[in-house]
Amino acid sequence: LYDKDPSNNQLNIARLLAYLGNAYRNLGKVETARNFLEKSLKMHREYFPEKYTNISQILGYLGLIHWILGDYQKAKNLEEEAY
C-alpha cells in the first residue's frame, strides 16, 4: 500500500512505517519490525534533513531491535548515531 501511494505525503507514510515497526516489536515480531523501521528510516533520509528529529527516534528504535536480536555492537552504533 505505502509503495503505491502517489501522493506527496511522504512524512505521514514514513511515520506510519515507524509506528508499524514499533507495533510489531511489541508483538514480538522483531524481524518484521526491523523491516518497517528500516523502510521508514530510508524514507526519512530521502525526504528530510539528517538532523530531523524523527531520524534520531528511528535510529533509537532500530538500536533497540538490534539489542533484542543480540547484536549489541550494532545497537550501540545506532544509539550513538541517534545522538
Side-chain angles (χ1 to χ4, degrees):
L1 174 67
Y2 60 87
D3 288 332
K4 296 177 182 173
D5 187 313
S7 75
N8 290 324
N9 204 0
Q10 300 302 317
L11 176 58
N12 286 334
I13 294 169
R15 284 182 180 162
L16 177 61
L17 292 172
Y19 296 147
L20 287 169
N22 284 322
Y24 276 103
R25 184 196 72 222
N26 290 333
L27 292 170
K29 298 182 182 265
V30 183
E31 288 296 332
T32 302
R34 185 180 69 162
N35 289 333
F36 277 115
L37 290 167
E38 286 175 350
K39 288 175 184 176
S40 177
L41 181 62
K42 181 180 177 186
M43 287 183 74
H44 274 88
R45 285 188 163 154
E46 184 176 341
Y47 292 100
F48 306 103
E50 187 61 32
K51 295 298 180 182
Y52 190 68
T53 304
N54 288 16
I55 292 175
S56 292
Q57 290 174 330
I58 296 164
L59 288 166
Y61 299 152
L62 279 169
L64 178 57
I65 292 291
H66 285 278
W67 183 82
I68 292 168
L69 292 170
D71 189 349
Y72 304 115
Q73 187 59 50
K74 178 74 172 176
K76 180 183 176 195
N77 293 344
L78 287 164
E79 290 293 328
E80 288 174 354
E81 186 180 350
Y83 303 100

